[in-house]
Amino acid sequence: ASISKDFDPAAVNITDPCPAPLERIKNKYRFVSVVNGAKLGAFRKRLREEVMAWRREHKNIDFYADIDALTLM
């Protein structure tokens, strides 16, 4: 099955981005969004696809995803 069919946006809640607890490191600004919901495996696969496509257009911006983060700090 394709990832698009496995991923249900209604099953995932994503907060709006806000400054990270350590907002700026090495002159780079950081932001955080929290994701929770059901079937996060399908969400991770979809996120990876989207980020990889986005990075091809935005090479000067770094994007990292911390899956199952223990804390936000």
Side-chain angles (χ1 to χ4, degrees), residues 4 8 14-15 19 31 34 36 38 70-71 73:
S4 297
D8 177 14
I14 304 172
T15 63
F31 293 87
V34 177
N36 59 26
L70 296 176
T71 68
M73 209 60 191

Side-chain angles (χ1 to χ4, degrees), residues 48-61:
R48 181 175 170 81
E49 281 184 347
E50 297 295 329
V51 167
M52 296 308 283
W54 186 82
R55 276 185 156 169
R56 286 190 280 277
E57 300 293 321
H58 301 88
K59 295 181 189 290
N60 62 331
I61 298 174

Side-chain angles (χ1 to χ4, degrees), residues 20-22 30-35 65-73:
L22 297 172
R30 302 170 56 213
F31 293 87
V32 63
S33 288
V34 177
V35 178
D66 186 0
I67 307 298
D68 295 329
L70 296 176
T71 68
L72 294 178
M73 209 60 191

